[in-house]
Amino acid sequence: MTKLFIAIVLFVTSLVSAQGQFEQGMGKAFGLWKEGKNTEASDMFERIASAEKTSWLPNYYVALINTTEAFNPANKEKVSILLDKANAALDTELSKNPNNVELLVVQAMSKTALLASNPMTYGMTLSPKITEIYTMASLLAPENPRVVLCKAEFGIGGAKWTGADVKQLCGQIEKSIELFAKFKPETPFSPKWGLDRATEALKNCK
């Protein structure tokens, strides 16, 4: 009985220690990202992901950082490298949970970054795929503000080429701002970005 009790205590202690290391690592990675050290932050999230297989969040941030960097004109020559890293992280987590809408949003963003790097080459093939991802995400989580915002932004980007009216899409951005006000992240490290971007996008709409 004593041995069993000791074993349980050791098991619980190891879990608490591992959780503490996870939180410390995530905090450090976010700190690097906030300082603008994007490569270092991505590498840190990648190391956390390899050590902590049960959380999708480290790989999510690997994907988000590298996808965001791929939109930066200064990284024009590195788009393929950045998106390869982003997509590898996304594939790992989507294979475990294909209905994770936060991952789906970043997947759509990564494809949009590739499209933006060469619209003439990728426009016809990627646009339908991106639309399909956002449609699926919308069905899964219609009240998720990042789903509503990013889907509307993609539609507005397409309207610049087609000349379509964006009034309804601007209304969706306005809706996303309302949803951000009500949205509660599941954990301290869960995605919560987007409100500033939505506010700026609405200004540009009007």
Side-chain angles (χ1 to χ4, degrees), residues 46-102:
E46 209 166 356
R47 287 194 293 274
I48 298 169
S50 66
E52 178 51 76
K53 307 286 188 185
T54 59
S55 176
W56 58 274
L57 290 168
N59 268 327
Y60 169 85
Y61 287 109
V62 171
L64 182 61
I65 289 171
N66 286 282
T67 295
T68 303
E69 284 296 288
F71 279 102
N72 186 342
N75 294 325
K76 185 171 65 172
E77 304 302 322
K78 298 190 289 184
V79 168
S80 293
I81 296 170
L82 292 165
L83 293 181
D84 282 348
K85 181 166 277 197
N87 289 323
L90 288 167
D91 289 346
T92 297
E93 298 306 328
L94 283 169
S95 67
K96 301 173 192 173
N97 184 1
N99 292 334
N100 184 319
V101 295
E102 300 289 2

Short mmCIF file of all heavy atoms in Angstrom, two decimals, residues 46-102:
data_model
loop_
_atom_site.label_atom_id
_atom_site.label_comp_id
_atom_site.label_asym_id
_atom_site.label_seq_id
_atom_site.Cartn_x
_atom_site.Cartn_y
_atom_site.Cartn_z
N GLU A 46 8.95 25.17 -31.32
CA GLU A 46 9.20 23.88 -31.96
C GLU A 46 9.79 22.88 -30.95
O GLU A 46 9.40 21.71 -30.93
CB GLU A 46 10.17 24.08 -33.13
CG GLU A 46 10.01 23.07 -34.24
CD GLU A 46 10.74 23.47 -35.51
OE1 GLU A 46 11.33 24.56 -35.57
OE2 GLU A 46 10.74 22.65 -36.44
N ARG A 47 10.70 23.35 -30.11
CA ARG A 47 11.28 22.48 -29.09
C ARG A 47 10.23 22.04 -28.07
O ARG A 47 10.21 20.90 -27.63
CB ARG A 47 12.45 23.20 -28.39
CG ARG A 47 13.70 23.33 -29.24
CD ARG A 47 14.90 23.71 -28.41
NE ARG A 47 14.81 25.05 -27.85
CZ ARG A 47 15.18 26.16 -28.50
NH1 ARG A 47 15.64 26.09 -29.74
NH2 ARG A 47 15.08 27.34 -27.91
N ILE A 48 9.34 22.99 -27.71
CA ILE A 48 8.27 22.65 -26.77
C ILE A 48 7.35 21.60 -27.39
O ILE A 48 6.93 20.65 -26.72
CB ILE A 48 7.46 23.91 -26.38
CG1 ILE A 48 8.36 24.93 -25.66
CG2 ILE A 48 6.29 23.54 -25.47
CD1 ILE A 48 7.73 26.29 -25.49
N ALA A 49 7.04 21.78 -28.67
CA ALA A 49 6.15 20.83 -29.36
C ALA A 49 6.73 19.42 -29.39
O ALA A 49 6.00 18.43 -29.24
CB ALA A 49 5.89 21.31 -30.79
N SER A 50 8.05 19.33 -29.56
CA SER A 50 8.68 18.00 -29.61
C SER A 50 8.69 17.33 -28.24
O SER A 50 8.69 16.10 -28.13
CB SER A 50 10.10 18.10 -30.16
OG SER A 50 10.93 18.84 -29.26
N ALA A 51 8.66 18.15 -27.18
CA ALA A 51 8.67 17.60 -25.82
C ALA A 51 7.26 17.37 -25.28
O ALA A 51 7.04 16.46 -24.48
CB ALA A 51 9.42 18.55 -24.89
N GLU A 52 6.29 18.20 -25.72
CA GLU A 52 4.92 18.14 -25.21
C GLU A 52 3.98 17.75 -26.35
O GLU A 52 3.51 18.61 -27.10
CB GLU A 52 4.54 19.50 -24.62
CG GLU A 52 3.12 19.61 -24.09
CD GLU A 52 2.76 18.50 -23.13
OE1 GLU A 52 3.20 18.54 -21.98
OE2 GLU A 52 2.03 17.60 -23.56
N LYS A 53 3.74 16.45 -26.47
CA LYS A 53 2.97 15.93 -27.62
C LYS A 53 1.46 16.10 -27.44
O LYS A 53 0.71 15.96 -28.40
CB LYS A 53 3.27 14.44 -27.82
CG LYS A 53 4.74 14.08 -27.94
CD LYS A 53 5.32 14.47 -29.27
CE LYS A 53 6.73 13.93 -29.43
NZ LYS A 53 7.36 14.42 -30.67
N THR A 54 1.02 16.38 -26.22
CA THR A 54 -0.42 16.39 -25.97
C THR A 54 -1.07 17.75 -26.25
O THR A 54 -2.29 17.84 -26.33
CB THR A 54 -0.74 16.00 -24.51
OG1 THR A 54 -0.09 16.92 -23.64
CG2 THR A 54 -0.23 14.59 -24.22
N SER A 55 -0.27 18.79 -26.39
CA SER A 55 -0.82 20.13 -26.65
C SER A 55 -0.59 20.53 -28.10
O SER A 55 0.53 20.42 -28.61
CB SER A 55 -0.18 21.16 -25.71
OG SER A 55 -0.64 22.47 -26.04
N TRP A 56 -1.61 21.03 -28.74
CA TRP A 56 -1.50 21.50 -30.12
C TRP A 56 -0.95 22.92 -30.21
O TRP A 56 -0.55 23.39 -31.28
CB TRP A 56 -2.86 21.44 -30.82
CG TRP A 56 -3.95 22.25 -30.14
CD1 TRP A 56 -4.75 21.82 -29.13
CD2 TRP A 56 -4.34 23.61 -30.43
NE1 TRP A 56 -5.62 22.84 -28.76
CE2 TRP A 56 -5.40 23.94 -29.54
CE3 TRP A 56 -3.91 24.56 -31.33
CZ2 TRP A 56 -6.02 25.18 -29.53
CZ3 TRP A 56 -4.52 25.81 -31.34
CH2 TRP A 56 -5.57 26.11 -30.44
N LEU A 57 -0.90 23.61 -29.08
CA LEU A 57 -0.57 25.03 -29.10
C LEU A 57 0.86 25.36 -29.56
O LEU A 57 1.04 26.31 -30.34
CB LEU A 57 -0.85 25.65 -27.73
CG LEU A 57 -2.34 25.76 -27.37
CD1 LEU A 57 -2.52 26.10 -25.90
CD2 LEU A 57 -3.01 26.81 -28.26
N PRO A 58 1.90 24.63 -29.12
CA PRO A 58 3.24 24.99 -29.59
C PRO A 58 3.36 24.95 -31.12
O PRO A 58 3.89 25.88 -31.73
CB PRO A 58 4.14 23.96 -28.92
CG PRO A 58 3.39 23.55 -27.70
CD PRO A 58 1.95 23.57 -28.10
N ASN A 59 2.86 23.88 -31.73
CA ASN A 59 2.92 23.80 -33.19
C ASN A 59 2.03 24.85 -33.85
O ASN A 59 2.34 25.34 -34.95
CB ASN A 59 2.51 22.40 -33.67
CG ASN A 59 3.70 21.47 -33.80
OD1 ASN A 59 4.80 21.90 -34.15
ND2 ASN A 59 3.49 20.19 -33.53
N TYR A 60 0.93 25.19 -33.20
CA TYR A 60 0.07 26.26 -33.71
C TYR A 60 0.87 27.55 -33.85
O TYR A 60 0.79 28.24 -34.88
CB TYR A 60 -1.12 26.47 -32.77
CG TYR A 60 -1.92 27.71 -33.06
CD1 TYR A 60 -2.94 27.70 -34.02
CD2 TYR A 60 -1.68 28.91 -32.40
CE1 TYR A 60 -3.67 28.85 -34.31
CE2 TYR A 60 -2.40 30.06 -32.67
CZ TYR A 60 -3.40 30.01 -33.63
OH TYR A 60 -4.13 31.16 -33.91
N TYR A 61 1.65 27.88 -32.82
CA TYR A 61 2.41 29.13 -32.87
C TYR A 61 3.61 29.04 -33.81
O TYR A 61 4.00 30.06 -34.39
CB TYR A 61 2.82 29.55 -31.45
CG TYR A 61 1.62 30.06 -30.67
CD1 TYR A 61 1.08 29.33 -29.62
CD2 TYR A 61 0.99 31.25 -31.03
CE1 TYR A 61 -0.04 29.77 -28.93
CE2 TYR A 61 -0.14 31.71 -30.35
CZ TYR A 61 -0.64 30.95 -29.30
OH TYR A 61 -1.75 31.41 -28.64
N VAL A 62 4.17 27.85 -33.99
CA VAL A 62 5.19 27.68 -35.02
C VAL A 62 4.59 28.06 -36.38
O VAL A 62 5.17 28.81 -37.17
CB VAL A 62 5.71 26.22 -35.07
CG1 VAL A 62 6.61 26.01 -36.29
CG2 VAL A 62 6.47 25.87 -33.80
N ALA A 63 3.39 27.53 -36.64
CA ALA A 63 2.71 27.79 -37.91
C ALA A 63 2.32 29.26 -38.05
O ALA A 63 2.52 29.87 -39.11
CB ALA A 63 1.47 26.91 -38.02
N LEU A 64 1.79 29.84 -36.98
CA LEU A 64 1.34 31.23 -37.04
C LEU A 64 2.50 32.20 -37.27
O LEU A 64 2.41 33.11 -38.11
CB LEU A 64 0.60 31.60 -35.75
CG LEU A 64 0.01 33.02 -35.69
CD1 LEU A 64 -1.03 33.23 -36.78
CD2 LEU A 64 -0.60 33.27 -34.31
N ILE A 65 3.59 32.01 -36.55
CA ILE A 65 4.76 32.90 -36.70
C ILE A 65 5.30 32.82 -38.12
O ILE A 65 5.54 33.85 -38.76
CB ILE A 65 5.86 32.53 -35.68
CG1 ILE A 65 5.43 32.90 -34.27
CG2 ILE A 65 7.17 33.24 -36.03
CD1 ILE A 65 6.36 32.39 -33.18
N ASN A 66 5.50 31.61 -38.62
CA ASN A 66 6.11 31.46 -39.95
C ASN A 66 5.17 31.91 -41.07
O ASN A 66 5.61 32.46 -42.08
CB ASN A 66 6.57 30.02 -40.15
CG ASN A 66 7.83 29.72 -39.36
OD1 ASN A 66 8.92 30.10 -39.76
ND2 ASN A 66 7.68 29.06 -38.23
N THR A 67 3.87 31.70 -40.87
CA THR A 67 2.90 32.19 -41.86
C THR A 67 2.87 33.71 -41.88
O THR A 67 2.87 34.33 -42.95
CB THR A 67 1.49 31.64 -41.54
OG1 THR A 67 1.50 30.22 -41.68
CG2 THR A 67 0.45 32.23 -42.47
N THR A 68 2.87 34.32 -40.71
CA THR A 68 2.87 35.78 -40.62
C THR A 68 4.12 36.36 -41.28
O THR A 68 4.06 37.36 -42.00
CB THR A 68 2.80 36.23 -39.14
OG1 THR A 68 1.63 35.66 -38.54
CG2 THR A 68 2.73 37.74 -39.03
N GLU A 69 5.26 35.71 -41.04
CA GLU A 69 6.52 36.16 -41.64
C GLU A 69 6.49 36.03 -43.16
O GLU A 69 7.10 36.82 -43.88
CB GLU A 69 7.69 35.36 -41.07
CG GLU A 69 8.09 35.76 -39.66
CD GLU A 69 8.61 37.19 -39.61
OE1 GLU A 69 9.72 37.44 -40.10
OE2 GLU A 69 7.87 38.07 -39.11
N ALA A 70 5.76 35.04 -43.67
CA ALA A 70 5.68 34.83 -45.12
C ALA A 70 4.93 35.96 -45.82
O ALA A 70 5.12 36.18 -47.02
CB ALA A 70 5.01 33.49 -45.42
N PHE A 71 4.09 36.68 -45.09
CA PHE A 71 3.38 37.83 -45.68
C PHE A 71 4.28 39.08 -45.76
O PHE A 71 3.94 40.03 -46.45
CB PHE A 71 2.15 38.18 -44.84
CG PHE A 71 0.95 37.32 -45.12
CD1 PHE A 71 0.59 36.28 -44.26
CD2 PHE A 71 0.16 37.53 -46.25
CE1 PHE A 71 -0.52 35.49 -44.50
CE2 PHE A 71 -0.95 36.74 -46.50
CZ PHE A 71 -1.29 35.72 -45.63
N ASN A 72 5.37 39.07 -45.01
CA ASN A 72 6.27 40.22 -44.96
C ASN A 72 7.04 40.35 -46.28
O ASN A 72 7.78 39.42 -46.65
CB ASN A 72 7.24 40.06 -43.79
CG ASN A 72 8.11 41.29 -43.58
OD1 ASN A 72 8.25 42.14 -44.45
ND2 ASN A 72 8.72 41.37 -42.41
N PRO A 73 6.89 41.47 -47.01
CA PRO A 73 7.60 41.63 -48.29
C PRO A 73 9.11 41.46 -48.16
O PRO A 73 9.77 41.05 -49.12
CB PRO A 73 7.24 43.06 -48.71
CG PRO A 73 5.96 43.35 -48.00
CD PRO A 73 6.02 42.62 -46.70
N ALA A 74 9.65 41.75 -46.99
CA ALA A 74 11.09 41.60 -46.79
C ALA A 74 11.53 40.15 -46.86
O ALA A 74 12.72 39.86 -47.05
CB ALA A 74 11.49 42.20 -45.43
N ASN A 75 10.57 39.23 -46.70
CA ASN A 75 10.89 37.79 -46.72
C ASN A 75 10.50 37.13 -48.03
O ASN A 75 10.28 35.92 -48.08
CB ASN A 75 10.20 37.09 -45.55
CG ASN A 75 10.73 37.53 -44.21
OD1 ASN A 75 11.91 37.81 -44.06
ND2 ASN A 75 9.85 37.60 -43.22
N LYS A 76 10.41 37.92 -49.09
CA LYS A 76 9.94 37.42 -50.38
C LYS A 76 10.72 36.19 -50.86
O LYS A 76 10.16 35.26 -51.43
CB LYS A 76 10.03 38.54 -51.43
CG LYS A 76 9.47 38.18 -52.79
CD LYS A 76 9.40 39.39 -53.70
CE LYS A 76 10.78 39.92 -54.03
NZ LYS A 76 10.74 40.99 -55.07
N GLU A 77 12.03 36.20 -50.60
CA GLU A 77 12.87 35.09 -51.06
C GLU A 77 12.77 33.86 -50.15
O GLU A 77 13.28 32.79 -50.50
CB GLU A 77 14.34 35.54 -51.13
CG GLU A 77 14.59 36.77 -52.01
CD GLU A 77 14.12 36.56 -53.44
OE1 GLU A 77 14.30 35.43 -53.96
OE2 GLU A 77 13.57 37.50 -54.04
N LYS A 78 12.15 34.02 -48.99
CA LYS A 78 12.10 32.92 -48.02
C LYS A 78 10.69 32.36 -47.84
O LYS A 78 10.45 31.58 -46.91
CB LYS A 78 12.63 33.40 -46.66
CG LYS A 78 14.08 33.85 -46.69
CD LYS A 78 14.61 34.08 -45.28
CE LYS A 78 14.00 35.30 -44.63
NZ LYS A 78 14.59 35.59 -43.30
N VAL A 79 9.76 32.76 -48.70
CA VAL A 79 8.36 32.34 -48.53
C VAL A 79 8.22 30.82 -48.48
O VAL A 79 7.54 30.27 -47.60
CB VAL A 79 7.47 32.93 -49.65
CG1 VAL A 79 6.10 32.27 -49.66
CG2 VAL A 79 7.31 34.43 -49.47
N SER A 80 8.88 30.12 -49.39
CA SER A 80 8.75 28.66 -49.44
C SER A 80 9.27 28.01 -48.16
O SER A 80 8.64 27.09 -47.62
CB SER A 80 9.52 28.10 -50.64
OG SER A 80 8.90 28.50 -51.84
N ILE A 81 10.41 28.48 -47.67
CA ILE A 81 11.00 27.92 -46.45
C ILE A 81 10.08 28.15 -45.26
O ILE A 81 9.82 27.24 -44.45
CB ILE A 81 12.39 28.54 -46.19
CG1 ILE A 81 13.36 28.17 -47.30
CG2 ILE A 81 12.94 28.11 -44.83
CD1 ILE A 81 14.67 28.92 -47.28
N LEU A 82 9.59 29.38 -45.14
CA LEU A 82 8.71 29.72 -44.02
C LEU A 82 7.43 28.91 -44.04
O LEU A 82 6.98 28.38 -43.01
CB LEU A 82 8.39 31.22 -44.05
CG LEU A 82 9.54 32.18 -43.75
CD1 LEU A 82 9.19 33.59 -44.18
CD2 LEU A 82 9.90 32.14 -42.27
N LEU A 83 6.84 28.77 -45.23
CA LEU A 83 5.56 28.05 -45.33
C LEU A 83 5.74 26.55 -45.20
O LEU A 83 4.84 25.86 -44.72
CB LEU A 83 4.85 28.42 -46.63
CG LEU A 83 4.38 29.87 -46.72
CD1 LEU A 83 3.65 30.12 -48.03
CD2 LEU A 83 3.46 30.23 -45.54
N ASP A 84 6.90 26.04 -45.61
CA ASP A 84 7.17 24.61 -45.40
C ASP A 84 7.17 24.30 -43.90
O ASP A 84 6.61 23.28 -43.46
CB ASP A 84 8.52 24.21 -46.01
CG ASP A 84 8.45 24.04 -47.52
OD1 ASP A 84 7.32 24.02 -48.06
OD2 ASP A 84 9.51 23.95 -48.16
N LYS A 85 7.80 25.18 -43.12
CA LYS A 85 7.85 24.98 -41.67
C LYS A 85 6.45 25.11 -41.07
O LYS A 85 6.05 24.32 -40.22
CB LYS A 85 8.80 26.00 -41.04
CG LYS A 85 8.92 25.85 -39.53
CD LYS A 85 10.11 26.63 -38.98
CE LYS A 85 11.38 25.85 -39.12
NZ LYS A 85 12.47 26.36 -38.25
N ALA A 86 5.70 26.12 -41.53
CA ALA A 86 4.34 26.33 -41.03
C ALA A 86 3.46 25.13 -41.34
O ALA A 86 2.73 24.63 -40.47
CB ALA A 86 3.74 27.59 -41.64
N ASN A 87 3.54 24.65 -42.56
CA ASN A 87 2.66 23.56 -42.98
C ASN A 87 3.02 22.23 -42.31
O ASN A 87 2.13 21.41 -42.04
CB ASN A 87 2.68 23.41 -44.50
CG ASN A 87 1.96 24.56 -45.19
OD1 ASN A 87 0.95 25.06 -44.69
ND2 ASN A 87 2.48 25.02 -46.32
N ALA A 88 4.30 22.02 -42.03
CA ALA A 88 4.70 20.80 -41.33
C ALA A 88 4.10 20.78 -39.93
O ALA A 88 3.59 19.75 -39.46
CB ALA A 88 6.23 20.72 -41.25
N ALA A 89 4.13 21.94 -39.26
CA ALA A 89 3.55 22.04 -37.91
C ALA A 89 2.03 21.84 -37.97
O ALA A 89 1.44 21.15 -37.13
CB ALA A 89 3.89 23.40 -37.30
N LEU A 90 1.39 22.45 -38.96
CA LEU A 90 -0.06 22.31 -39.12
C LEU A 90 -0.46 20.87 -39.41
O LEU A 90 -1.43 20.35 -38.84
CB LEU A 90 -0.55 23.22 -40.24
CG LEU A 90 -0.57 24.72 -39.96
CD1 LEU A 90 -0.78 25.50 -41.24
CD2 LEU A 90 -1.65 25.06 -38.93
N ASP A 91 0.28 20.23 -40.31
CA ASP A 91 -0.05 18.85 -40.67
C ASP A 91 0.03 17.92 -39.46
O ASP A 91 -0.81 17.02 -39.30
CB ASP A 91 0.91 18.34 -41.76
CG ASP A 91 0.64 19.00 -43.11
OD1 ASP A 91 -0.42 19.63 -43.27
OD2 ASP A 91 1.52 18.89 -44.00
N THR A 92 1.04 18.15 -38.60
CA THR A 92 1.19 17.34 -37.40
C THR A 92 -0.04 17.41 -36.52
O THR A 92 -0.56 16.39 -36.04
CB THR A 92 2.43 17.79 -36.59
OG1 THR A 92 3.60 17.58 -37.38
CG2 THR A 92 2.55 17.02 -35.28
N GLU A 93 -0.54 18.63 -36.31
CA GLU A 93 -1.67 18.80 -35.39
C GLU A 93 -3.01 18.50 -36.04
O GLU A 93 -3.91 17.96 -35.40
CB GLU A 93 -1.66 20.23 -34.82
CG GLU A 93 -0.42 20.56 -34.01
CD GLU A 93 -0.14 19.56 -32.89
OE1 GLU A 93 -1.10 19.00 -32.33
OE2 GLU A 93 1.04 19.34 -32.58
N LEU A 94 -3.17 18.83 -37.32
CA LEU A 94 -4.44 18.55 -38.00
C LEU A 94 -4.65 17.05 -38.19
O LEU A 94 -5.80 16.59 -38.29
CB LEU A 94 -4.51 19.28 -39.34
CG LEU A 94 -4.81 20.78 -39.25
CD1 LEU A 94 -4.58 21.46 -40.58
CD2 LEU A 94 -6.25 21.02 -38.77
N SER A 95 -3.56 16.29 -38.23
CA SER A 95 -3.71 14.84 -38.33
C SER A 95 -4.32 14.26 -37.05
O SER A 95 -4.98 13.22 -37.07
CB SER A 95 -2.35 14.18 -38.60
OG SER A 95 -1.49 14.32 -37.48
N LYS A 96 -4.12 14.97 -35.93
CA LYS A 96 -4.70 14.55 -34.65
C LYS A 96 -6.13 15.07 -34.50
O LYS A 96 -6.99 14.40 -33.94
CB LYS A 96 -3.86 15.07 -33.49
CG LYS A 96 -2.41 14.63 -33.50
CD LYS A 96 -1.65 15.37 -32.39
CE LYS A 96 -0.15 15.21 -32.51
NZ LYS A 96 0.58 16.05 -31.53
N ASN A 97 -6.35 16.30 -34.96
CA ASN A 97 -7.68 16.92 -34.82
C ASN A 97 -7.98 17.79 -36.05
O ASN A 97 -7.69 18.99 -36.06
CB ASN A 97 -7.74 17.78 -33.55
CG ASN A 97 -9.12 18.36 -33.31
OD1 ASN A 97 -10.05 18.11 -34.09
ND2 ASN A 97 -9.27 19.15 -32.27
N PRO A 98 -8.55 17.18 -37.08
CA PRO A 98 -8.82 17.92 -38.33
C PRO A 98 -9.90 18.98 -38.20
O PRO A 98 -10.08 19.80 -39.11
CB PRO A 98 -9.25 16.82 -39.30
CG PRO A 98 -9.73 15.70 -38.44
CD PRO A 98 -8.92 15.76 -37.19
N ASN A 99 -10.62 19.00 -37.06
CA ASN A 99 -11.71 19.97 -36.87
C ASN A 99 -11.32 21.12 -35.94
O ASN A 99 -12.21 21.85 -35.47
CB ASN A 99 -12.95 19.27 -36.33
CG ASN A 99 -13.56 18.32 -37.34
OD1 ASN A 99 -13.42 18.50 -38.54
ND2 ASN A 99 -14.24 17.29 -36.87
N ASN A 100 -10.04 21.28 -35.69
CA ASN A 100 -9.58 22.39 -34.86
C ASN A 100 -9.60 23.67 -35.70
O ASN A 100 -8.77 23.86 -36.59
CB ASN A 100 -8.17 22.11 -34.34
CG ASN A 100 -7.66 23.18 -33.39
OD1 ASN A 100 -7.87 24.37 -33.60
ND2 ASN A 100 -6.98 22.75 -32.34
N VAL A 101 -10.57 24.54 -35.44
CA VAL A 101 -10.77 25.70 -36.31
C VAL A 101 -9.61 26.70 -36.23
O VAL A 101 -9.33 27.40 -37.22
CB VAL A 101 -12.11 26.42 -36.02
CG1 VAL A 101 -13.27 25.54 -36.36
CG2 VAL A 101 -12.18 26.92 -34.60
N GLU A 102 -8.94 26.78 -35.09
CA GLU A 102 -7.81 27.70 -34.99
C GLU A 102 -6.69 27.25 -35.94
O GLU A 102 -6.06 28.07 -36.61
CB GLU A 102 -7.30 27.77 -33.55
CG GLU A 102 -8.32 28.26 -32.54
CD GLU A 102 -8.64 29.75 -32.65
OE1 GLU A 102 -8.11 30.43 -33.55
OE2 GLU A 102 -9.45 30.24 -31.84
#
